[in-house]
Amino acid sequence: MKIGIKFKLIAFTGSLLLVVILFLSVFVLNGIKSYQDKEDEAILFKQKDMFEQYFSERSSLGNNGTRDKAELARGSIFNKPWLRTIPASVYDTKGELLSGFKVDGKLNENKEKNTMIEYAMQGKVSFAKKDGVIYFYSPIKYKNGIVAILELEYSVKESALFYDNIKKMFYGTGFAALIFGVILGIIYFFNLTRDIYIMKDSVENIQRGNFHKIQLANRNDELGELSKGIVFMSNTIEKNIEELKVERDSLNNAIDKLKKMDKEQKEFIGNVTHEFKTPITIIKAYAELIGMYENDLCLINDGTTNISKECDRLATMVDKVLNLSALEKYDFEIRKKEVNLKEIIDEICARIMGKIKKNDLTFKSNIEDIIVTIDEESLRHVIINLIDNAIKYNRPSGSIDIECHKNGNKITIIVADTGIGICKEDLPKIFEPFYRVESHRSRETGGAGLGLALVKKLVEKQQGTINVDSKLNEGTIFSIEFSI
Ligand code: ADP
């Protein structure tokens, strides 16, 4: 069974107080007792000495030479009242009572009287205490001889009463002191143990990781220092755990990122393999056909056109794949310089205008004259890709709208078309490499689903963002935002 420190401390204090009180009581009471005994003895001896001296003075007078010494002793007691302060009796040397003086006139009840008288006859003094009375027997000597025996009956009832009172007082005050001491102990140890329990709880809370529940025992002693130490320790552990958590989280994030990258890379390689296989298969098939039908001019014409088309597709794909993986793997070197956005976009539009017209599309532009520090090559690549898509996925007689304006420290470039649009489910995926909404149509237009992935990477490399909004069969709006 576990006994709490509070109970142990109170029990210890109680026991200690009890031992101290008992020891003090025994010590003091014994002292009083022995003092009283010595006092009584001294009184009795003094009485005996006075009697003996008086007797000796009387015996030395010449007129009593014939008289018996014991008779003289008997008379001595009654003649002198000051010798009668203590009840006394005189016995002759044969043990016969000669005379006595008693307060109440009774003979004494000492049963050992005879033995004690015999002792006195041998010249020895003896005491016996009974019922609050000391019986004292002493020989009365004259000129080296015993002439009578003196018996004194000294009542010690008063001093016994005094002793009893003192004893009661000791026990009473001792008991009160014990109760008072235990109550004081309970109050003091309650406070002390409360602080110890605060520290115990704090340690348990540290074990459970409840650092917010740690309490400080406000004391100016060693326990206070211990409590401060626990709080300090708890703060340090909490800080270390927090740091470890942050490290673990960032490690987990890094692992997740690596896993994602690994997955993306595998998908990317799978897609690359797949996308490259198609044009190679077509090229191989045409080459075999031309080999088989050397004289078929129509086939040869068709074959060379298709082989050249697929080669172009392959070249564009290789270019984009290389660009993408370069952006992915290396810290792409951004060569920023001050450029006029209007000049660049106008120039691109002028170059692409033939294609726009060829597709019977209307073109509108609203571009502010903005000077911006940016990587020109990347910007050209992004805008060309977006306009190219706006042409490819437009509808006959549709239109393309380009806007560029500045708002505070933000520059927004918008490329909108009135084309086929993209459905909601596909919108988040179009920036993934090799993702095509309608692969057969995209393939017809020569796309491999790499353009937007490249655009997104280039925009993000320059701390920009790209967003898309589209409605199926109504059109698509790409908006790019850069901070300056
Ligand atoms: P691709 O080279 O095949 O055009 P992109 O990465 O440029 O590849 O585009 C991915 C897909 O997003 C395309 O296959 C097409 O389905 C869709 N898409 C891109 N731009 C538009 C647009 N302006 N309108 C409609 N669909 C578009």
Side-chain angles (χ1 to χ4, degrees):
M1 192 184 70
K2 192 178 150 194
I3 301 168
I5 189 164
K6 203 194 295 180
F7 178 78
K8 280 184 190 163
L9 286 172
I10 291 166
F12 174 73
T13 316
S15 319
L16 196 70
L17 272 172
L18 194 68
V19 168
V20 170
I21 289 166
L22 280 178
F23 180 75
L24 263 180
S25 306
V26 169
F27 185 73
V28 173
L29 287 173
N30 274 348
I32 291 172
K33 187 106 193 117
S34 80
Y35 174 78
Q36 279 183 332
D37 287 349
K38 273 185 194 146
E39 274 288 288
D40 293 343
E41 209 174 295
I43 287 168
L44 288 166
F45 270 101
K46 197 178 163 198
Q47 187 76 8
K48 175 229 152 196
D49 287 348
M50 275 164 62
F51 187 84
E52 213 166 37
Q53 197 187 345
Y54 177 72
F55 173 74
S56 146
E57 278 167 11
R58 287 205 64 194
S59 298
S60 60
L61 296 175
N63 60 353
N64 57 8
T66 54
R67 287 174 66 182
D68 184 58
K69 297 289 180 205
E71 276 297 316
L72 185 64
R74 180 180 68 87
S76 301
I77 303 167
F78 299 102
N79 289 342
K80 294 292 166 191
W82 52 268
L83 278 176
R84 282 190 259 123
T85 49
I86 299 170
S89 303
V90 176
Y91 296 83
D92 66 11
T93 48
K94 288 178 188 120
E96 289 290 317
L97 177 68
L98 295 176
S99 180
F101 168 75
K102 305 272 173 174
V103 179
D104 52 6
K106 283 188 204 161
L107 285 171
N108 81 57
E109 288 156 7
N110 181 15
K111 286 174 186 156
E112 292 158 43
K113 184 164 71 182
N114 293 339
T115 323
M116 293 176 83
I117 289 173
E118 270 176 36
Y119 256 69
M121 285 193 287
Q122 289 163 27
K124 294 174 194 165
V125 175
S126 59
F127 300 84
K129 198 173 187 180
K130 199 171 175 274
D131 299 332
V133 178
I134 298 176
Y135 296 99
F136 176 87
Y137 294 86
S138 168
I140 299 168
K141 292 178 184 164
Y142 181 68
K143 292 187 179 169
N144 294 330
I146 298 167
V147 290
I149 309 299
L150 175 68
E151 178 198 67
L152 295 174
E153 285 180 57
Y154 183 52
S155 169
V156 286
K157 275 183 183 151
E158 265 184 42
S159 54
L161 197 69
F162 171 76
Y163 177 81
D164 279 347
N165 283 340
I166 291 275
K167 200 160 117 180
K168 276 180 197 158
M169 201 180 80
F170 253 96
Y171 289 157
T173 48
F175 184 68
L178 182 70
I179 298 291
F180 186 65
V182 169
I183 290 171
L184 272 186
I186 288 172
I187 294 168
Y188 178 74
F189 291 129
F190 190 80
N191 272 329
L192 186 81
T193 48
R194 190 194 54 203
D195 291 334
I196 292 175
Y197 282 122
I198 285 178
M199 286 185 266
K200 180 183 155 265
D201 288 348
S202 296
V203 171
E204 282 173 3
N205 280 322
I206 291 176
Q207 284 171 349
R208 292 192 200 110
N210 297 333
F211 297 103
H212 59 284
K213 285 189 181 168
I214 307 295
Q215 269 184 292
L216 176 71
N218 228 343
R219 300 174 66 95
N220 275 331
D221 56 11
E222 288 82 352
L223 283 181
E225 282 168 20
L226 185 64
S227 177
K228 276 184 199 151
I230 290 173
V231 173
F232 177 78
M233 201 170 74
S234 146
N235 288 341
T236 314
I237 293 174
E238 188 181 10
K239 204 174 131 221
N240 287 346
I241 289 178
E242 282 304 317
E243 281 172 6
L244 277 176
K245 270 186 193 162
V246 171
E247 270 177 37
R248 190 192 58 194
D249 286 351
S250 62
L251 207 69
N252 282 343
N253 283 345
I255 291 170
D256 288 348
K257 217 169 163 182
L258 274 175
K259 278 184 187 163
K260 200 177 155 214
M261 272 168 67
D262 188 49
K263 195 177 158 227
E264 280 173 2
Q265 213 165 27
K266 278 181 184 148
E267 276 174 16
F268 187 77
I269 291 168
N271 282 327
V272 169
T273 319
H274 177 77
E275 290 301 322
F276 275 51
K277 260 186 189 163
T278 321
I280 289 169
T281 314
I282 295 171
I283 293 169
K284 201 173 166 233
Y286 272 111
E288 279 171 5
L289 279 173
I290 290 170
M292 280 161 69
Y293 306 100
E294 287 168 350
N295 302 325
D296 188 342
L297 280 177
C298 194
L299 178 75
I300 290 171
N301 247 344
D302 203 24
T304 42
T305 317
N306 278 315
I307 285 173
S308 154
K309 210 172 112 191
E310 292 304 321
C311 281
D312 283 349
R313 238 164 72 83
L314 263 179
T316 319
M317 239 158 62
V318 168
D319 202 33
K320 284 185 178 171
V321 165
L322 287 178
N323 263 337
L324 251 181
S325 55
L327 280 172
E328 196 78 58
K329 283 208 169 118
Y330 309 111
D331 240 348
F332 182 65
E333 196 192 342
I334 298 170
R335 278 161 294 193
K336 285 189 175 180
K337 62 174 183 184
E338 267 192 7
V339 290
N340 187 324
L341 275 184
K342 185 171 166 54
E343 277 176 15
I344 292 178
I345 298 172
D346 281 348
E347 191 206 312
I348 294 169
C349 295
R351 264 176 39 197
I352 224 155
M353 199 50 83
K355 204 172 175 184
I356 292 172
K357 283 201 175 126
K358 195 176 149 197
N359 284 277
D360 195 21
L361 299 169
T362 324
F363 181 79
K364 274 188 280 168
S365 71
N366 178 11
I367 299 151
E368 274 179 40
D369 223 350
I370 306 165
I371 305 289
V372 65
T373 307
I374 207 162
D375 183 90
E376 193 185 332
E377 266 314 297
S378 302
L379 183 73
R380 279 177 183 278
H381 206 100
V382 167
I383 293 169
I384 291 171
N385 256 290
L386 292 180
I387 299 178
D388 198 43
N389 278 353
I391 298 170
K392 280 196 294 187
Y393 303 107
N394 221 314
R395 61 180 164 76
S397 311
S399 70
I400 298 171
D401 206 340
I402 294 191
E403 277 178 33
C404 178
H405 48 80
K406 189 177 165 194
N407 196 354
N409 65 340
K410 295 232 180 282
I411 291 175
T412 314
I413 302 170
I414 294 170
V415 180
D417 64 67
T418 53
I420 57 168
I422 307 160
C423 67
K424 257 191 188 171
E425 297 75 52
D426 287 317
L427 271 183
K429 300 178 198 160
I430 57 168
F431 294 105
E432 289 172 16
F434 296 106
Y435 189 81
R436 288 168 303 203
V437 177
E438 288 177 76
S439 49
H440 60 280
R441 173 160 183 174
S442 190
R443 183 172 293 286
E444 278 167 22
T445 55
L450 289 168
L452 286 180
L454 204 59
V455 164
K456 191 167 191 270
K457 279 269 173 308
L458 288 169
V459 170
E460 282 172 354
K461 282 276 171 186
Q462 298 204 64
Q463 280 76 49
T465 52
I466 180 161
N467 285 301
V468 58
D469 190 16
S470 185
K471 262 192 186 157
L472 211 56
N473 302 322
E474 281 186 28
T476 307
I477 303 168
F478 283 96
S479 58
I480 299 165
E481 208 168 73
F482 293 110
S483 298
I484 49 167

